[in-house]
Structure formats: C-alpha cells, structure tokens
Amino acid sequence: MADIQEELESAGAVRALKDLTAGAAGGIAQVLLGQPFDIVKVRLQTTARYSNALDCAAKIFKDEGPLAFYKGTLTPLVGIGACVSVQFGAFHYARRWFEGANIEKSPLNPGLSYSQYFAAGAFAGITNSVLSGPIEHVRIRLQTQPHGAQRLYRGPVDCVRKLSSHEGVLKGLFRGEVVTILREAQAYGFWFLTFEYLMNADARRNKVDRKDISTTKVGFYGGLAGEALWLASYPFDVTKSKMQSDGFGNDMKFKSMTDCVRQTYTKEGWRGFWKGIGPTLLRAMPVSAGTFAVAELTLRAIG
C-alpha cells in the first residue's frame, strides 16, 4: 500500500513538472510575440501624449528607435515565463483537485463544470499575482521612463532596488497588488474557461480526443480566449497601470485603488477605463494563440 502511495505521489510530481514546463514554453512565446504591442498599450494607458495606437507606435519608432519596442524585455522574458508556468501549473493542480472531488460524488462523471473551470483559472491567476504584480510593475516603470540621459533606472535590478526604497517592498515594489489580484482572478478565470469550453466543444462535435485537435484550431481557440481575457479584465488593468506608473511622495496622484478609479472616472468617464483596448485586443489574438499552441504542443510532446 505504501509503495502504491509513493507511486501516486511520484506521478503527481512528474505531472506537475510537465505542466510547469509547458507553461514556461508558452510564456516565452507570449513575451516574444507580445512585447511590442504591450509597450504601446502601457504608453496609451499612462500618458496623453499620443492620439492613438498608430501615433504612439510611430513616435516610439521615430524618437527612440526600433529596439524601444523591446524595452524592459529581460524582466518579462524571465518573469512572464515563470508566471505562465505558474498559471498552467496552478490551473492543472486545481483541475485535478476538482476532478477528484467530482469522482467522489459521481464516479462516472469526473469532468469539470464550467464554473469549476472558471474557479480553477481564478485560482491560477491569484497564485500568479504574487509574481506578476512586481514583475509588471518593473516592466511598466522601464517602459514609461524618460528616454536617454533623463532615464530613471539603469535596468531591472536598479529599478527593483529603487522601487523597494520607497516606503519598503510592500508599498514600493508591490504597489497595486490588490488590483493585480482582482485582475488576475477575473482574467485567468475567463481565459482558461473560454479555452477549455472551445476545446471540449470541438472534441464533442467532431467526436475526437483532445490530443487529436489540430494545432491550428488550438491556436485559434487560444486566441479567442485571449480576447475574452482582456474584455473581462481591462478596467482593472488600466487602474493597475496608472497606479504602477504613479509618482512617490509629493508626486503621488492616487492614494489607493478606489481613489484611482474615482479620479479616472471623474476626469475621463467610462472611456478612461478602456484606453488602449484596440492594440491590446490586436495583441491578444496572436499572443494568446501562441501561448496555448506552444503549451499544448509541449504537453503532447513530453506526454
């Protein structure tokens, strides 16, 4: 009996490692595909210098050069790889937990309900927020700092050090963590729910196993999941970006998340919470498609 238990625990550890590996591969694809779109999104969210996404992209290219679209890439390349790894690992952990609970109630029907898929995705998002909050804060600071001699940070490590020096790590580096948690739960609940719904519907409709669904379809369904993620969570993201690009001390404009929401609505109305949604949705399709396609193919390759 002890040998069987050890075997089950070992299998679970191997499965978790495979989930983490697949997520990391998907995360690297996500950063490489999405970084140029992301810097345009952040600039539109945090400054009024640009009239639209094309104007923003053109001015970045003209004033800062083509490499500016990959400003701050090192942080997300390492960090987002870790984040997506955690997302997939946490999602599949929660999925297996729900399957085990469902088996106890109905041995012949262990499959998850769609509310359970959402809950598993939200759990993945909340777990991930511990990493994504500070990682995205550093990325936003690097993306929005002045160009050239006026720049504030020499790189990611210098940025972490300086942010942490402002009222400590929690109020400095982890600024905006509450709204990050809210965004991640909402976003990844809908992300995984949408993808799993589309994959399951395709498998039922065509009477095939999940592993037999083509890579093209996996990518397409992943892309649609990306659109759902941002449509469900974008106002949280705008609030987070404003807080994480805000000044410190006397230069601070927003005292809290609720104060940021109130000021944004007062000055810009509801449209203020959707600034930059165009390039974000444009980015979401290829980035999310690449993430799911790479993660799914990696899982299939490593068994």
Side-chain angles (χ1 to χ4, degrees), residues 75 129-139 160 163 173-174 177 244:
T75 304
S129 66
V130 178
L131 290 174
S132 66
I135 288 169
E136 291 191 15
H137 189 186
V138 170
R139 178 171 63 175
V160 169
L163 289 176
L173 184 60
F174 278 84
E177 186 65 15
Q244 292 183 336

Side-chain angles (χ1 to χ4, degrees), residues 118-287:
F118 180 86
F123 172 76
I126 293 170
T127 303
N128 173 61
S129 66
V130 178
L131 290 174
S132 66
I135 288 169
E136 291 191 15
H137 189 186
V138 170
R139 178 171 63 175
I140 286 171
R141 293 289 177 182
L142 293 174
Q143 287 176 337
T144 57
Q145 71 173 331
H147 181 60
Q150 294 182 319
R151 69 179 185 169
L152 302 174
Y153 312 107
R154 294 192 299 273
V157 175
D158 183 53
C159 184
V160 169
R161 182 179 60 80
K162 288 179 177 176
L163 289 176
S164 300
S165 70
H166 292 288
E167 301 179 326
V169 173
L170 290 179
K171 290 187 177 180
L173 184 60
F174 278 84
R175 174 185 281 186
E177 186 65 15
V178 172
V179 72
T180 299
I181 292 170
L182 293 174
R183 184 200 68 169
E184 300 289 77
Q186 178 86 337
Y188 291 104
F190 276 100
W191 196 48
F192 283 108
L193 167 63
T194 302
F195 181 72
E196 293 297 330
Y197 171 80
L198 292 170
M199 290 287 285
N200 291 343
D202 187 291
R204 283 196 307 270
R205 184 172 59 251
N206 296 303
K207 297 180 175 60
V208 297
D209 290 334
R210 179 191 178 106
K211 67 180 187 303
D212 296 322
I213 296 175
S214 70
T215 305
T216 302
K217 285 184 176 181
V218 171
F220 180 61
Y221 297 153
L224 292 178
E227 303 293 309
L229 179 155
W230 285 110
L231 288 172
S233 64
Y234 198 75
F236 290 119
D237 189 68
V238 170
T239 304
K240 183 186 77 68
S241 292
K242 285 177 176 285
M243 292 183 70
Q244 292 183 336
S245 61
D246 195 13
F248 289 93
N250 294 331
D251 296 324
M252 185 184 294
K253 293 186 292 185
F254 309 116
K255 297 177 182 178
S256 64
M257 178 184 71
T258 53
D259 183 50
C260 182
V261 170
R262 181 183 59 79
Q263 287 195 45
T264 300
Y265 184 77
T266 301
K267 294 177 182 177
E268 305 173 57
W270 65 269
R271 291 178 182 274
F273 295 101
W274 296 95
K275 265 189 171 182
I277 188 64
T280 300
L281 292 178
L282 186 65
R283 166 189 181 273
M285 178 62 79
V287 169

